[in-house]
Each structure stands twice: as C-alpha cells, then as structure tokens.
Amino acid sequence: MIHFGRLVTIVVTVLRFGLDEVALSSFRQRSVRGFVRLVTIGRRLDAPRGERLRLGLERLGPIFVKFGQVLSTRRDLMPLDVADELAKLQDRVPPIPAAQARALVEKAYGKPVEQVFASFDAEPVASASIAQVHFATLPGGREVAVKVLRPGMLEVIDQDLTLLHLLARWVERLSADGKRLKPREVVAEFDGYLHDELDLVREAANAAQLRRNMAGLNLVLVPEMVWELCTPTVMVMERMHGVPISQIERIRAAGVDIPKLARDGVTIFFTQVFRDGFFHADMHPGNIQVSLDPRTFGRYIALDFGIIGTLTESDKEYLAYNFIAFFRRDYKRVAELHVESGWVPPDTRIDALESAIRAVCEPHFDRPLKDISLGQVLMRLFQTSRRFNVEIQPQLVLLQKTLLNIEGLGRQLDPELDLWVTAKPFLERWMNEQIGWRGLVERLQQEAPRYAQLLPELPRLLHGALHRRAHPAPGAQALQALLAEQRRTNRLLQTLLWLALGFAAGLIVMRALLPALSSG
C-alpha cells in the first residue's frame, strides 16, 4: 500500500495514452484485454502508438524515460515502430534552482563554494534526470566541470523500481514470451545501472578506468578526475573543449576527416568491447564531442560515464566467434554457437536454425550503412529467436544499446561507411591475439611471475615426492596393502563370474542339443 498512489498514477497514464494495446499485446489472458477495453470505451487515440508510449513515459518521469531508452534496444520486446519512437526519448529536464545547486555543493564539501572554487557558474551547462553540470574554475586557474546529483533521487528511484519489479513479475507470469524474454532479469540489470549512476564516485572510477584503457589508442579523450573533490553527490573533472558530434557541418568546416572519424568510432567501440570488456554504454550524440584543439585535432571526447558495460571473457569469446562467423557468412557455425552456448535448446535442428539466420543476414551484406537498418536486422533476428525459443541474455542488453548508438553515429557521419568491412579486420586480429601464437605468448608472459615463484621450489617438491614414494608412512603402507587385497578380491570375483556365465551358457547349449542327439 506504500506505493498505491504512484501505482494509480501509472495506471491512469497507461489508460490515458492508450499504452494498454502495447503492453498487453502478447498477454495470454483474454479477460485482461477485455476488461481494459471495457473501461476505456470512448477513448480517442489519434496519435501513433509509439508516439503515445513515448509521451506516456515522459509524463511518468525520468526513471520511466530511462527504462524506455533501454526498451528501445530490446527489439524483441517491442514492435519496430514502437522501438524507433522510444529511441527518441531524451531525459533533458528543467534544472534545479541555482541556489539549491550551490547549497548541495556546499553540503558535500562542508564549506562555502568560494573556498573550493575561484569561480562557479550558477547556470548549469547541461541538465539531466539524475544530475546537472556546472562549469567552474579552481584556485590555480584550472577549468573544471562540476557534476551535481539531484536531491532525493534515491527515494524516487527506489519507489519506481519497486513497481517495475512488480510489473516484470506480472509480465513473466502473464505474457506468452515471459520466460524467454526474462523481464525480471532485465529490470534487475536496469536497477543496477541506475543505482550505479547515483554514486558519482563510482562514475569517476569508471571514467578513470576508461581513460587508462584508451590512453594508447590516441582516438578518444576522457576527462581527468579531480579526486580530492569527488564525493558520492558531487564530481569534479577536467573541463573538455569540443564540438558536439551532432554539429557535423561545423566539424567538417574545421577540416576534420569525417570518413576517418566514422571509422575511428567503430574502432573505439570494438576495442572497448573485445579488448577491454569495459565499454561506454551511453554513447548518444549528447555525450560525444570532437576536439578541434591542434594538439588533439579530430579525436573524440567522451562524457558521462554513469552507465558502463562489462563483459566476461566467455562473453567476449562467444561474441567474437559469432561476429567472425557472420563476417565469413558461416551461418552453420553461428547456429552451432547458439546451441553450444545454451541460448537455444540442445535438441534444436542446426540446419533449420542455419537456414533461418541466413535468410535474415544474407540480404544485408555488401551494402553501405545508409542502405542497412540494423534495427530491422535485429528485429528479424529476434523474430527468428522467438521461433527457436532463443533465451535473451540480459547481460548483453547494454551491448545491443551501444551497437545501435554506433549505427546512428556512423549514419550521421558517413552514410557510406560499411560497418562489417570496418570491423572484420579488427576482430580477426583480436581473435589471433586470443587463440593464436601471439595470444599464447601473452598468456605465458602473464603467468611468468607465478612460474618464477614455482621454479625455485621444484627441486624441493620433486625430492619430497620421491621420498614419500620410497618411504611411505605406516598408515599409507596399510592402506596400500588393503587396496592391493581389494584388487585381488575383485579379480577373483570377476573370474568366478565369467566361470558361472560360461557354465550357464554350456547348460543352455547342451539342453538345446539333447533332443537332436536322442532322435539321432
């Protein structure tokens, strides 16, 4: 009953915007659908369903907006027109008052703003659902960006997440696809992402890790954290000067090589995913800029590190094998990998799954990105997955989302970019480093410290083993004698068993031959 009022608000919003026809489209219970139609008689719904769903989520607040952004990547949960509309969701919200933001900063540091910063811009440069950003200057003159967490977010998020967990249980119980789509696991992943965003120290740590990972690539800039000023509610980082990636004409006019910029974006993505297993998972245009500084000209600038995706070694290997098989058009291997990974039932016919995957993917090869909709490819793959009872993997939701962001970014920069041709050499090189001679050498180098510690101990360990074998302990001698006696007993029993079987077989043969002998 604690959340009853919020639940009523959600139900009213769902009915007002006609979201029931989307939410209940795959429900088995006809009575539920019939009841909703009965209580909404006379309702006029002129706008497309995707637009109504987007507006309804925006009305429900930032948590539902973010959840809608996640749903936009789940083409298996939503029809294509609805998913495309959800992809338009933005979480720009009115900023909190300047005086309140200032008070939050002073509360975090326990001192007036003037004692921390030489200057502090009262008006935020960016405002989102979780936090907002102000520019400031440190006493030494260094320019920084200050991210301030909105007050009371934990209570709001926990309240709405409780309801989302409840709705997920209903979907799993009532929807025909509930078990396969794992709605509870999806909401649990979403829960983790949101709570991670509420701790700005964690976001700062994400940024620091990404900065180290990307240091040698020379393709992307990540701001340096000012650790002595980072708290769970306020984060201070190096101020970055760049042009938003959406301002393509301004970037082109500055002399940036746009096709190279597009290829670099693909390289950055695949490096983060397959080399590091640690990737920026919120790469929409608002979080990406391009540097025009002569020292770093043409490099990407990454911002906002609240949502970071991670992959295990087994996830990376499975995805890499799948990508390589796709690029080589080895659809049989793709089908086999789905079975080996447990994503489809073990009794699935490989040839049938292979044929279905080929029908989805083959028409899209050797075509420029402008002629390919990755959303349509994913949609058809998800339709195929439903036919073969493929279990959706919640840990890969962020990867799907980021891949769609990369597609959108590439489409904006260079419509002629061939995503497959750009990515294939990178993945083949990565695979060689993992399973080829180079990978073997690297793993031996990684294990070298352990080997260096064990090698001096080998003579002592060998001497101890030989000594124990030559001079076994009294208890060990008794045990060895008992085991030897047991082996002799087993051999005797086996001999007796074979003799008994031979005797029985002889009796059967004699019984069969006696009538013939007597008649002769």
Side-chain angles (χ1 to χ4, degrees), residues 5 72 85 136 180 183 231 248 383 408 472:
S72 71
E85 190 68 32
R180 186 182 68 85
T231 74
I248 300 176
Q383 291 173 344

Side-chain angles (χ1 to χ4, degrees), residues 318-468:
Y318 171 76
L319 288 169
Y321 278 118
N322 262 287
F323 271 111
I324 290 296
F326 271 121
F327 292 148
R328 294 174 177 172
R329 307 188 190 188
D330 187 354
Y331 304 115
K332 180 179 181 181
R333 182 57 185 151
V334 174
E336 291 172 345
L337 286 167
H338 275 68
V339 176
E340 292 171 7
S341 66
W343 285 22
V344 296
D347 58 349
T348 301
R349 287 186 54 184
I350 297 294
D351 59 338
L353 183 56
E354 174 192 358
S355 177
I357 295 173
R358 179 184 295 108
V360 172
C361 298
E362 191 64 26
H364 298 280
F365 277 99
D366 299 327
R367 298 169 61 190
L369 192 59
K370 68 177 182 180
D371 297 331
I372 300 175
S373 171
L374 189 57
Q376 291 180 356
V377 177
L378 289 175
M379 184 61 186
R380 292 201 59 191
L381 282 173
F382 288 139
Q383 291 173 344
T384 301
S385 71
R386 182 178 290 111
R387 172 186 165 192
F388 288 92
N389 296 317
V390 176
E391 291 192 359
I392 303 303
Q393 305 301 305
Q395 75 272 21
L396 301 182
V397 169
L398 277 182
L399 184 63
Q400 296 173 9
K401 172 182 181 292
T402 309
L403 188 58
L404 289 176
N405 287 338
I406 292 296
E407 179 200 26
L409 184 63
R411 194 182 298 276
Q412 283 185 346
L413 294 174
D414 182 15
E416 300 295 332
L417 174 69
D418 191 326
L419 185 66
W420 318 117
V421 172
T422 306
K424 183 179 177 181
F426 176 89
L427 284 175
E428 289 180 334
R429 184 171 63 252
W430 182 88
M431 290 294 292
N432 180 60
E433 292 174 353
Q434 294 299 307
I435 63 177
W437 284 106
R438 184 182 301 178
L440 175 60
V441 171
E442 289 184 357
R443 284 191 290 273
L444 287 174
Q445 290 175 343
Q446 293 173 358
E447 296 293 334
R450 184 178 302 177
Y451 297 151
Q453 182 180 2
L454 290 176
L455 282 174
E457 300 178 5
L458 283 179
R460 178 175 55 82
L461 295 173
L462 181 60
H463 178 269
L466 293 174
H467 180 77
R468 285 191 298 272

